[in-house]
Amino acid sequence: MPVDICRVTSVSKTTNSTPDISQTPLSTVSITNGSCIMNKLCRQLSIESPGPVVKNCVFNFFVPIEDTPALGARIEIVCAGACYRRRDRSASFSSMSSVASDLSDYCASVASSQSSPAHAAVREGSLFPGFEVAGVIESLGNEINEENNCGLHIGQRVIVYPFEEAPAGYAELLVVPDLKYIVPIPDHLPISVAAMLPTGALLAMNAVFKAHDVVIEMLKERSSDANDSKKKCKILIVGTGGLALWAVRIASYHFASTGANNYIDVTVASLRDEGFRLATEMKSVSVVQWNECLYEPQLIERTQNMCGGPVDVVIDFGTTSRSLHRSLHCLSKVGVVLVSEEVAERLLPKFSRLLSETQQKIIPIPTGSIKQLHDLVNLVAEKKIQPPPYSVFPCEQASEVIQKLCNSEIPGRAILRFRDIE
């Protein structure tokens, strides 16, 4: 719980001595007119990328909390998606990395030779550690009134859009500078499910929407060719874990509701056992298993056979150059690969020369918009889109959760709970 440190005001103004603060740990102190003022502190949980052995990656400490901004709010965090950032990357928004970051998702020998993460079975979680949060509004700024409160009120259950200045890490309180970043959640939507929406699910949604836009443009170009105009466009979703599981569910709903399933076929290249669950859950989705016992040409041939030839669009949630290289080889000559902005930042320079020699494109996908997040909340609350499997753990068990993630012992997503309100 946040710690509201008391104010020490018994010090005489006529004395030159200062109060003894040696016995007041976990606080920040300022001296003003003889009064010792200690700021409110709250606990923050930091999860760094595991090393070769999963240890010393979860840290608890106390941090001072800013006052509520005049036109903003302060959120008391209830649940947060479990993921981490790489030790060798900065804490900036653009450098966030998934639970599978820089680990070869495909080859245990490659994974074991790298310093991060710890095990070849580590699942991807989210690209945004500490941004997948849901909670209740603790306070509103002193300039907020009925005309500018955006329908928000103290005690309301909300999620937070990942704004640029948001701190990396999991704190019990989150200061939000502007109410536009706060999205209310319906009472019937579990707060643990809502916590998965602001980043991972939102990124998946934006990737699916972008893939649909790319397909529409391709169909316009094909309209002059009678043979090509009758062919369905093929989309391949590459990955496992939360991002791919969200993307498949969102794609199934979106393409069916827009009629796009009449001209789009979806295949999932599953890196692990999630593919078999997808095959049973999504009857309209084909699944190809990327078994790493096979050579690259065999995997590419297997994928193209399942898809009925080279694909038009790949949504690649892998985080390695090997994944992207394979995706390009599964692609048609004028195809497009969609990757997250964080992955594009790291890998695009490596592929610039190859792309200059082909007509293929790699397009970075941003997280998504605030409006899309509002829409996503409504779709999940109305059960039009079902969330992937998830498990909820007390935040005190963060170390054990990371260990289980590294051993692939948690199906789907892992959610950390800071307090109970339900």
Side-chain angles (χ1 to χ4, degrees):
M1 294 295 291
V3 181
D4 197 0
I5 305 296
C6 64
R7 288 172 171 79
V8 181
T9 58
S10 58
V11 181
S12 171
K13 295 182 180 180
T14 60
T15 179
N16 292 325
S17 62
T18 58
D20 181 5
I21 60 174
S22 61
Q23 302 303 315
T24 56
L26 303 178
S27 62
T28 56
V29 180
S30 61
I31 308 298
T32 306
N33 293 329
S35 294
C36 179
I37 301 176
M38 302 183 185
N39 298 328
K40 173 174 279 192
L41 303 174
C42 86
R43 185 173 47 137
Q44 179 166 319
L45 180 69
S46 176
I47 304 178
E48 305 289 334
S49 58
V53 178
V54 181
K55 61 181 180 179
N56 298 328
C57 61
V58 178
F59 305 93
N60 283 279
F61 47 90
F62 282 78
V63 294
I65 294 298
E66 300 175 31
D67 292 335
T68 305
L71 292 173
R74 202 159 60 179
I75 310 300
E76 193 173 22
I77 302 303
V78 175
C79 288
C83 47
Y84 65 74
R85 67 190 178 99
R86 287 167 48 193
R87 296 176 191 268
D88 62 336
R89 301 297 295 272
S90 70
S92 67
F93 177 78
S94 62
S95 68
M96 295 305 134
S97 188
S98 74
V99 170
S101 61
D102 253 14
L103 167 68
S104 171
D105 287 310
Y106 319 109
C107 179
S109 62
V110 173
S112 62
S113 67
Q114 297 180 358
S115 60
S116 171
H119 193 278
V122 173
R123 300 170 184 271
E124 64 172 275
S126 161
L127 298 178
F128 314 94
F131 286 105
E132 288 189 315
V133 295
V136 297
I137 298 177
E138 183 236 26
S139 60
L140 293 170
N142 55 21
E143 296 183 18
I144 299 297
N145 52 49
E146 292 185 0
E147 296 181 356
N148 64 1
N149 65 4
C150 301
L152 301 173
H153 58 81
I154 293 175
Q156 189 171 11
R157 302 185 330 144
V158 297
I159 56 178
V160 180
Y161 179 81
F163 57 96
E164 191 77 23
E165 302 82 10
Y170 308 84
E172 293 175 311
L173 289 173
L174 176 65
V175 174
V176 182
D178 194 311
L179 297 188
K180 69 180 181 181
Y181 299 122
I182 299 176
V183 178
I185 56 177
D187 292 338
H188 56 279
L189 179 62
I191 199 165
S192 53
V193 172
M196 294 188 283
L197 304 182
T199 51
L202 183 58
L203 173 63
M205 184 182 202
N206 200 32
V208 170
F209 287 4
K210 180 61 178 178
H212 192 186
D213 291 342
V214 170
V215 165
I216 290 174
E217 291 301 316
M218 287 181 172
L219 291 176
K220 289 179 181 178
E221 295 177 1
R222 290 181 183 179
S223 60
S224 58
D225 190 317
N227 293 325
D228 281 350
S229 63
K230 297 179 181 180
K231 294 180 181 178
K232 281 190 171 184
C233 282
K234 296 181 281 290
I235 295 178
L236 178 67
I237 298 175
V238 176
T240 186
L243 292 172
L245 292 174
W246 272 116
V248 172
R249 285 161 169 76
I250 293 169
S252 295
Y253 167 77
H254 178 69
F255 294 152
S257 63
T258 59
N261 55 351
N262 294 320
Y263 53 85
I264 292 177
D265 284 333
V266 177
T267 302
V268 176
S270 175
L271 307 180
R272 301 185 195 96
D273 294 339
E274 280 83 358
F276 299 105
R277 182 168 61 248
L278 284 170
T280 58
E281 289 182 358
M282 306 290 179
K283 300 300 182 182
S284 60
V285 174
S286 302
V287 180
V288 57
Q289 189 78 16
W290 276 4
N291 187 331
E292 297 311 315
C293 295
L294 301 178
Y295 293 108
E296 285 295 309
Q298 292 175 300
L299 287 172
I300 294 167
E301 181 182 7
R302 169 188 286 187
T303 303
Q304 292 188 353
N305 288 341
M306 177 63 70
C307 297
V311 300
D312 301 288
V313 180
V314 177
I315 303 175
D316 193 342
F317 291 120
T319 58
T320 65
S321 56
R322 185 177 184 186
S323 168
L324 187 52
H325 190 269
R326 185 182 300 167
S327 294
L328 289 169
H329 277 82
C330 293
L331 204 60
S332 65
K333 293 181 179 179
V334 293
V336 173
V337 178
L338 307 178
V339 298
S340 72
E341 286 184 332
E342 189 272 341
V343 172
E345 179 187 350
R346 289 191 294 112
L347 298 185
L348 268 179
K350 300 180 181 179
F351 288 85
S352 57
R353 181 176 178 180
L354 176 63
L355 293 174
S356 67
E357 299 172 353
T358 69
Q359 293 180 278
Q360 296 172 331
K361 296 179 181 178
I362 298 176
I363 300 178
I365 301 299
T367 308
S369 68
I370 297 175
K371 181 185 181 302
Q372 285 178 331
L373 183 55
H374 280 274
D375 294 341
L376 181 60
V377 167
N378 292 331
L379 290 171
V380 176
E382 295 168 4
K383 301 185 184 301
K384 294 180 179 179
I385 296 176
Q386 294 293 329
Y390 67 96
S391 302
V392 181
F393 303 88
C395 65
E396 292 79 9
Q397 295 181 11
S399 294
E400 292 87 340
V401 169
I402 296 299
Q403 177 70 64
K404 289 180 178 180
L405 286 171
C406 289
N407 294 329
S408 287
E409 296 173 4
I410 300 176
R413 292 302 314 278
I415 307 296
L416 299 177
R417 181 179 289 275
F418 283 80
R419 58 182 52 79
D420 288 315
I421 63 168
E422 299 174 323

